Amino acid sequence: MNKIMLKAGVFALSVISASVMAKVPPEQAARLGNDLTPVGAEMAANADGSIPAWTGGYSVDADGATPERPADPYADDEILFTITSANLDEHKDMLSAGQVAMFKKYPDFKMNIYPTHRSAAYPQEVYDVIKENAVNAELVAGGNGLEDFKMHIPFPIPANGNEVIWNHITRYRGGAVERLVNQFPVLEDGNFVPVLLREALVFPEYMKSGREAADDNILFYFLQEVLAPARQTGTVLLVHETINQVKEGRRAWLYNAGQRRVRRAPNVAYDGPGTASDGLRTSDGLDMFNGAPNKYNWELVGKREMYIPYNNFKLMDTSLSYDDIINPGHMDQDLVRYEKHRVWEVKATLKDGERHIYQTRHMFIDEDTWTASVIDHYDNRGELWRVAEAYNTQFYYHDTPWMAAEALYDLNSGRYIVLGLANEESSYMDFEIEPERSDFSTSALRRMGIR
């Protein structure tokens, strides 16, 4: 596999002193794989053992074909306790403000807390480049550019909020993967019309030909095709995600079946409307948060213990229908698993002079995967508006931590959106694709739209 070095250009966000932008010295990087895991999490258990030590994660070396939906290795775990509106005060310090608000909004809301399993595991090649990044990668231009960065997770030992959010943006998600999933904009009464999506996500290093000069400043390629409902079928989105989106903005194109042409899509960024989301998701809300971070100041609050969704294999169970999972107000919480994990807490505040529908995003990012696992969104009055959760799951046949789904709950309207469920689909995740660069061209977009 060709793994050449990336160099992002320079662009400005907020003023950060040079002292917190420096790469770590070799003696600090040597902690990776010792007292820190290879991705930078604390190796040891917490004080009372409720968060165990990381011992390599959960990985299965499959011989031959692998199932698209991994079975639940923790299906026999019993619930430790359940948080309800009645005992919420006892557990508030382990929840975000948005999670607490869900209990107040919905009296039937609950969280089943299970034993913690630190299941996250990555391929060794990812661990290797992360260790290189630790001593080489740097933020530039006030914290919004990357220099001397390879592939994934530039800052395993972060010094500020910018570095933490870059770890989320660049984290490993299988290298090259195609998935067939649904998006559900859910009305207040629980009614929904599924939007079936075929998506491909490919980092240039995982192209059949490896990274080439044409990939300069490209973080990954993304393709999204709407397959249903009929009124939206034929809409195709192509994104060339750039590392430096202020110097060179995200390249996005949209094929509209009604117009039968490809056009540039500059609104597929920031708070532009998310594809087929019925106004419930912004473009930068996909994958919890994505894209250029230049509109916000990123404050690293610290690290804390928290109940977050984890090991949500049950949400991939094909015996469940979408009606089983989607309820008025929120998903069926008996199907969601929460565990205690350590998270990085980052507060993103809109810069003076910038515009976005979210003034503040309060993020909680899992230390073992760098996935933003809970995000509280505040409007421009400073009022809590929406809460997002990522239903973390380990695709253990491929050493890929990702999500079984992600949800964004609107506390004002009672509506919400879920993305990622495929329980009723015949296929789901394909980690074995061998993409060509031409698959992510505007010509390919036209061909997909016409067929």
Side-chain angles (χ1 to χ4, degrees):
M1 183 177 298
N2 181 23
K3 302 176 184 173
I4 70 172
M5 184 172 295
L6 308 182
K7 263 198 178 182
V10 175
F11 57 103
L13 171 68
S14 56
V15 177
I16 301 175
S17 68
S19 63
V20 299
M21 293 192 291
K23 53 200 173 189
V24 302
E27 57 268 26
Q28 281 291 312
R31 297 177 60 195
L32 300 171
N34 289 296
D35 66 301
L36 299 179
T37 73
V39 304
E42 296 176 46
M43 185 84 75
N46 67 347
D48 64 7
S50 55
I51 299 175
W54 185 82
T55 57
Y58 190 80
S59 176
V60 174
D61 185 9
D63 184 13
T66 58
E68 293 186 344
R69 296 173 175 84
D72 187 353
Y74 311 122
D76 294 334
D77 284 356
E78 295 185 0
I79 298 171
L80 298 176
F81 59 91
T82 299
I83 304 175
T84 66
S85 298
N87 64 1
L88 176 61
D89 286 345
E90 302 172 31
H91 304 285
K92 277 185 176 179
D93 61 339
M94 297 293 293
L95 304 174
S96 78
Q99 289 174 315
V100 170
M102 289 293 289
F103 287 92
K104 296 179 179 178
K105 175 78 173 178
Y106 303 107
D108 65 333
F109 190 78
K110 64 181 180 180
M111 294 171 60
N112 292 324
I113 311 301
Y114 288 83
T116 298
H117 297 283
R118 296 181 68 181
S119 51
Y122 290 89
Q124 184 60 47
E125 64 185 31
V126 174
Y127 294 147
D128 292 342
V129 297
I130 291 172
K131 197 159 190 174
E132 288 184 52
N133 285 336
V135 297
N136 291 320
E138 294 183 278
L139 291 172
V140 294
N144 255 359
L146 293 180
E147 184 172 81
D148 295 337
F149 159 66
K150 286 187 178 181
M151 291 173 65
H152 308 292
I153 307 177
F155 307 112
I157 307 175
N160 55 67
N162 293 73
E163 293 185 349
V164 172
I165 196 61
W166 272 110
N167 287 345
H168 165 78
I169 291 169
T170 62
R171 75 196 191 282
Y172 179 77
R173 280 154 282 175
V177 61
E178 183 175 282
R179 66 179 190 168
L180 189 67
V181 296
N182 284 275
Q183 179 170 261
F184 302 85
V186 185
L187 299 177
E188 189 175 8
D189 62 6
N191 285 324
F192 59 85
V193 176
V195 179
L196 183 62
L197 303 170
R198 178 182 291 117
E199 298 181 335
L201 174 70
V202 178
F203 287 75
E205 289 79 4
Y206 298 87
M207 290 285 185
K208 188 179 292 186
S209 58
R211 177 175 281 276
E212 297 179 350
D215 304 312
D216 179 51
N217 200 32
I218 294 293
L219 178 62
F220 59 73
Y221 296 92
F222 177 73
L223 193 64
Q224 183 186 72
E225 180 182 11
V226 179
L227 302 179
R231 68 178 182 275
Q232 297 179 10
T233 299
T235 300
V236 191
L237 172 67
L238 171 64
V239 173
H240 294 180
E241 186 77 312
T242 54
I243 301 168
N244 180 338
Q245 290 199 13
V246 174
K247 176 189 174 186
E248 181 184 15
R250 168 183 286 172
R251 308 170 199 160
W253 299 265
L254 192 68
Y255 179 86
N256 184 287
Q259 299 174 349
R260 298 185 67 82
R261 67 185 181 92
V262 174
R263 59 181 175 83
R264 292 298 295 261
N267 291 334
V268 181
Y270 302 117
D271 57 359
T275 303
S277 65
D278 200 20
L280 284 167
R281 176 175 60 76
T282 58
S283 289
D284 65 4
L286 181 67
D287 194 41
M288 300 294 282
F289 177 83
N290 73 87
N294 65 299
K295 285 184 177 289
Y296 291 90
N297 292 312
W298 301 86
E299 175 194 356
L300 180 57
V301 179
K303 188 180 275 192
R304 59 176 284 191
E305 296 179 2
M306 184 174 173
Y307 296 127
I308 60 175
Y310 226 90
N311 292 308
N312 277 276
F313 296 94
K314 190 179 292 185
L315 286 176
M316 297 186 286
D317 189 341
T318 55
S319 70
L320 296 172
S321 70
Y322 302 137
D323 286 329
D324 293 330
I325 300 171
I326 305 296
N327 288 344
H330 54 78
M331 292 196 297
D332 185 342
Q333 287 297 105
D334 280 323
L335 303 176
V336 179
R337 177 184 178 120
Y338 293 86
E339 300 178 359
K340 183 192 292 186
H341 286 263
R342 286 182 289 243
V343 298
W344 293 95
E345 183 176 356
V346 174
K347 186 176 181 181
T349 305
L350 193 64
K351 291 183 63 181
D352 291 342
E354 293 286 359
R355 300 181 66 179
H356 197 289
I357 64 170
Y358 301 135
Q359 181 187 76
T360 305
R361 288 164 133 135
H362 205 157
M363 300 186 171
F364 304 90
I365 298 173
D366 173 41
E367 69 166 348
D368 284 328
T369 65
W370 296 106
T371 300
S373 298
V374 176
I375 303 179
D376 296 340
H377 301 75
Y378 293 79
D379 64 21
N380 284 288
R381 301 169 299 171
E383 300 293 327
L384 183 61
W385 181 8
R386 291 170 171 170
V387 55
E389 289 189 324
Y391 301 97
N392 295 297
T393 306
Q394 179 70 16
F395 291 85
Y396 50 76
Y397 289 116
H398 304 280
D399 291 338
T400 301
W402 208 357
M403 313 170 189
E406 57 185 302
L408 181 66
Y409 295 99
D410 190 314
L411 296 168
N412 294 337
S413 70
R415 300 163 64 213
Y416 67 102
I417 190 167
V418 180
L419 173 63
L421 299 177
N423 308 71
E424 298 181 20
E425 311 311 321
S426 58
S427 61
Y428 179 30
M429 302 282 280
D430 185 356
F431 290 91
E432 306 297 335
I433 64 173
E434 296 183 342
E436 302 275 4
R437 194 162 280 93
S438 59
D439 297 335
F440 297 89
S441 66
T442 55
S443 296
L445 197 64
R446 292 186 184 93
R447 290 194 299 270
M448 293 178 67
I450 292 169
R451 73 189 182 197

